[in-house]
Amino acid sequence: MQNYLTSARSIREEGAFYSCGKDMLFSVVDARDVEAAAARVLTATGHEGRAYTLSGPESLSNADIAEKLSAAAGKPIRYVDLPEADFRTALVSAGIPRATADGYIDLIDYYIAGKATSVSPDVERISGKPPGSFDKFARDFTAAFKPHELS
């Protein structure tokens, strides 16, 4: 979820965030839940040799995420889908190394293929609490997505 903070500037200034992937669905997870699960795995016994799948509580599209950010910020925020080549060019133009941009596009292709839609119970199983929703993330980080007020 915190990856959306990298789009905070365009959300504040343009009311939009950009990517490619059309209507892909993915079960985005809050980094705070990853942290809680990792802390438990690293400090408790019984996790040796185990692998976990960490996810948020629902699969969302970028259009769903735009709606949730809009509700939290109290202003319209839209998702702008770009052709893959244009998105790659935009990433590189923003200073992201070409190899990193290619890796990001590979990850989006993984999402487009539907390989990250599953919702896993592992966050709650490990940490003892359900994963946070994107709605909660958007409320907690609302200030990042609203225009800064000058005093």
Side-chain angles (χ1 to χ4, degrees), residues 89-108:
T89 299
L91 292 172
V92 173
S93 295
I96 294 174
R98 175 72 185 212
T100 303
D102 289 344
Y104 190 70
I105 298 296
D106 288 346
L107 180 61
I108 290 172

Side-chain angles (χ1 to χ4, degrees), residues 26-46:
F26 54 112
S27 55
V28 62
V29 64
D30 192 315
R32 296 170 294 185
D33 292 325
V34 174
E35 175 187 22
R40 184 64 159 250
V41 166
L42 293 170
T43 60
T45 60

Side-chain angles (χ1 to χ4, degrees), residues 59-139:
S59 285
L60 300 169
S61 68
N62 278 316
D64 297 328
I65 288 168
E67 286 180 25
K68 292 173 180 296
L69 290 170
S70 296
K75 67 173 197 162
I77 296 168
R78 69 194 195 310
Y79 164 61
V80 179
D81 188 64
L82 299 174
E84 190 174 284
D86 292 349
F87 186 59
R88 178 183 285 109
T89 299
L91 292 172
V92 173
S93 295
I96 294 174
R98 175 72 185 212
T100 303
D102 289 344
Y104 190 70
I105 298 296
D106 288 346
L107 180 61
I108 290 172
D109 289 341
Y110 181 83
Y111 295 157
I112 291 169
K115 296 180 179 180
T117 60
S118 297
V119 173
S120 166
D122 286 350
V123 166
E124 185 168 8
R125 186 179 294 147
I126 297 164
S127 70
K129 63 177 189 135
S133 67
F134 198 91
D135 294 305
K136 179 176 180 350
F137 163 80
R139 286 189 307 270

